[in-house]
Amino acid sequence: MSSTRRPTSRSVRRTAVAATSAALAGVLLAACGSGGGSGSGTTGSGPVHIKVWAWYPQFKQVVAEFNRTHKDVQVDWVQAGVGQDEYTKLKTALKAGQGAPDVVMLEFQELPTIQLTKGLLDMGKYGANADKGNYVSWAWSQASDGDHVYAIPVDGGPMAMMYRADLFKKYNLKVPTTWAEYKEEAAKLHKADPSAYMTDFGSDETAAGWRQGLAWQAGSRPYTYSASKLPDIGVKLNDDNAKKVYEYWGDLVKNKLVDTASYATTDFYNGLSTGKYATYIAAGWGPGYLSSVAAKTSGKWRVAPLPQWTAGAGAQGDWGGSSFSVTSQTKHPKEATEVARELFGTSQAAWKIGIDQAYLFPLSNPILNGAYFKSKKYDFFGGQQINSVFVPAANGISTFDWSPFQDYAYNTDTSEVGKALQGQNAWSSVNDNVQQQVTSYASKQGFKVSK
Amino acid sequence: MTTVAAPAVTAAPATGRRPSAARGRVTVNVVMVAMILYFLLPFWWLVVAATKGNDALFSTAALWFHSPGSFFTNLQQLFTYNDGEYLRWMGNTAIYAGVSGVGATAVATLAGYAFAKYRFPGRNLLFSSLLGAIMVPATALAIPTYLLLSKVALTNTMWAVILPQLLNPFGVYLVRVYVQESLPDELLEAARMDGAGELRVLWSVALPTLKPALVTVLLFSMVGTWNNFFLPLVMLNNDKLFPLTVGLQSWYEGAMIQSGANALFTLVIAGSLVAILPLIVTFLLLQRYWRGGLTVGSLK
Amino acid sequence: MSLLRQQGSTATAPPSAVPARGLRTPVTGRRPGGLSARTRHKGMGLLLVSPFLLLFLAFLVAPLCYAFWLSLRTSTLVGGDHFSWFANYQQTFTDPQFLSGVRRVVVFGVVQIPLMLGLALLGALIIDEVTSRLAKVFRMTLFMPYAVPAVIGALMWGFLYSPTFGPVNSISHSLGLGKVDLLSHALMLTSLGNIVTWQWTGYNMIVLYAALQGLPREVYEAAKLDGAGQLQTALRIKIPMISSAMVLALMFTIIGTLQFFTEPRVLEHSASSVITPDYTPNLYAYNLAFQYSEFNYSAAISFSLGAVVFIGSYFFLFATRKRSGLK
């Protein structure tokens, strides 16, 4: 047959058909392969599956506990990322219109940002307001706007001072109760041992919340913001209180009384575990953190309240803490709200795991003020009941608003602090520079900024 | 060159030059050894660090071992942590690299061959856009690609990682050049004379000759996919679909931020070591192929 | 071109295989029972190139167009999307953060690229000349970093750079240089340059080596007869003869450098007061999109950077077209 001797229109056509079918098959396969990627689960009979993104340590057990006790709602947990990585994925998924989970773990400072994208469901419509009394008021006010509830608080980071009791004894230091005393003890320490520091000053992005928490304690309230009052926003990052804090620490840095290693790097851990740092200005989640990065210093640390600006004042600040929100992409708002409210909520069982194994600091009133938590002894702190310091701190924190462009504000702050560290700028100008850049940014973004 | 036998006529001058040639040789060897040490340094550190447990990692000298070592403990932890998610990540990486590698090579081969041996409308335009394609930064494409893929509900799936990596303009370029250099038209014509269809010509005549180029493209494609970080980072939310790069990075971030996760540093290190071994071994084994392919690729 | 060859090949084809009719027919005419060679070629060509074309359209052209469309709009946190023509581009070229990023990668490139390519060239010349076992080890060792994902490479070097744990500091201490913070503001670019050099020298070396291997050996013979030493041979003969490969390697390296992203991104976390979100233009575009959700401005930055790269590359290619051998 002549068809085998030379290429004919038929053979070309045949090839074309074969290729097209292959391509079509490929596309179909692709479409099928995407199943189950996003959003909520099954409809119809059977439990409703709610997808949760979170990065809490030991969270698997908490999820198991929830699934055990809730038969009509089941949690599917995925760790989509830690911190910023998770927020990036969330923001991209929200922009794309699909791919976001039902319930997502959000730190408090990130809430207004996500809420502004209209990415959060108002859980108030699904009964979440009933939980108001269950949580410390400052956390609830950050998680809600009047009757609109955008998040259910989970854990917090009230600040306190952890110190090496053995080093204090060795160098004859007394536990400072004011920042002035803190500076004096720092000078004493450095004189006795120039290679030791009172603590590490958090100069990097990770420590932006640390710096903000200290300014919080000093009375700074940089933002006045409420989603229901858009586009108005008040921005005052350079009030006297904030300046006081930055100039204080700048002074300590200049006198080499504190180190400037980036937080959450191996050098920082090394400083904590080798006695390079005599104190660690920490948050309520600090104990777990410290006991894992500085495991070999177990028994040597103690916890004392944060030094005050005015003796006896009792002002507090918070660093970090997170909550559960429901995204606007959920197809099961009722069940998702239930999950957000009850994964931790006031559940004793969940919080036992949270407190004992994940070292989370509860913001849920019955747990926070309950006997178990308050009287718990921590071996790492030589058996001290550290929560007798942390709980009053948590209860003593007053309200504080975050901005809906917190990432930008934190980055700008880190940048300016970096410049001050290098000696490019004076410490006293850091807050002014940040104020100027942030207000300019906010105006460009369409806010009506009042200073 | 040092083994070239010089004609007898130049034997005398050659003898006269020997001392300086020897000195030159020593210098070259010293330079080589110095550079080898420098380039090996991070690998050496990685191997040493992988044998250390957490405490030893942060308290002993970085470049030497500390006994007792905990290499096997680290490995065991690596493969069992979090229900063996590392192994799943390895599997994912192998799938992405394998499918994308083979797919990209096939596509590039067909296209490169077509560019070299066929004329069709738009050929020149398309080929000259190849170079432009290489110059487009991945970050510029990441979000739009994500947004476009989400419209067809393909994000957060394996296809979101595989499909974009099937596009390998450099591979097309390489194949085209190789075809032009090593595949004369006469060879193809002869096959056609014998009555072979176009696909048959491609399969039986062209492909065997193209093998070095194919292996090169396959290798570089697979390496590119194996090592790709940014694309899967953007496309994937489900940690069960992560490749090794994204997975290790997430452990690293976790080690930095989380409490109770300090052990992750040893995992990151051990994981990094295990992750780079397959590629290094592959390169070692397939040396002659990619060298051959690159040879032609650089000759235009 | 292929048609001419086809005509010419009738003389060389084995007589038994030549169909008497087919090839004497003008190729544009229709042959009974089949398509003309031209149409057949066109059809086949299109078919073979179609998968690539589809992928090209789907994953390059479409996203690019979409990104361009994005860049023509502005979106604010309050007030959403609106069309703004080239306002974003105007902003780009007066944005101090973008400009400082560009300046930084240019400075980085001016130092790092010649250094790296110089090392690559040196390495290539060495392994071209020397065939000892040491040279083989040398070749493999320098190439190995290419097999390492940039993420892992940055992690490894991040550890090595650590002021507390890294060997770098114990070495500098013993040399009497005191404490050296490689991740400080002053040294960051150098440290990043080191990682990039470590990662890419081997690859460039192999490319140049391949080019060297393709050179005709007779030239060396002639040179040797003329009394040229190894060094002279290298400088006067080899290097000029592989100039086209060098130009191409240089161009791709420049393109890569202008798009510098991965290493700063990985180290961003542990050195966040030095590596600000706008450290390189690409990092800036990334953070604008993924941290601040400013997708539109991010797209404009990417395009502006792409324009800089694109124009620069074509100009560079044009200026060196004789050298590079591309037409």
Side-chain angles (χ1 to χ4, degrees), chain A residues 51 61 84 112 114 122 135 163 207 229 259 264 278 289-290 297 330 335 343 356 359 443:
Chain A
K51 191 170 211 134
Q61 301 174 53
Q84 272 300 326
I114 309 291
D122 176 4
Y135 297 96
Y163 65 97
K229 298 204 178 67
D259 195 11
Y289 187 75
L290 197 60
T297 58
T330 183
E335 289 82 359
L343 254 178
D356 289 344
Y359 289 93
S443 308

Side-chain angles (χ1 to χ4, degrees), chain B residues 84-105:
Chain B
E85 66 178 350
Y86 187 82
L87 288 171
R88 192 177 307 125
W89 291 344
M90 278 201 97
N92 293 338
T93 312
I95 293 176
Y96 297 147
V99 176
S100 297
V102 169
T105 307

Side-chain angles (χ1 to χ4, degrees), chain C residues 218-246:
Chain C
E218 307 86 58
V219 188
Y220 304 151
E221 296 294 329
K224 216 170 181 126
L225 285 172
D226 283 345
Q230 283 183 336
L231 190 60
Q232 278 179 304
T233 316
L235 285 177
R236 299 266 189 79
I237 297 179
K238 291 185 176 182
I239 294 181
M241 284 183 85
I242 58 163
S243 56
S244 58
M246 281 173 61

Side-chain angles (χ1 to χ4, degrees), chain B residues 99-124:
Chain B
V99 176
S100 297
V102 169
T105 307
V107 170
T109 307
L110 292 179
Y113 178 70
F115 278 121
K117 294 297 180 190
Y118 293 87
R119 301 182 87 184
F120 48 86
R123 183 184 86 151
N124 289 331

Side-chain angles (χ1 to χ4, degrees), chain C residues 140-162:
Chain C
M140 205 48 222
T141 315
L142 263 71
F143 192 66
M144 262 166 49
Y146 176 72
V148 174
V151 172
I152 295 184
L155 288 181
M156 281 154 67
W157 280 103
F159 255 104
L160 288 170
Y161 285 156
S162 158

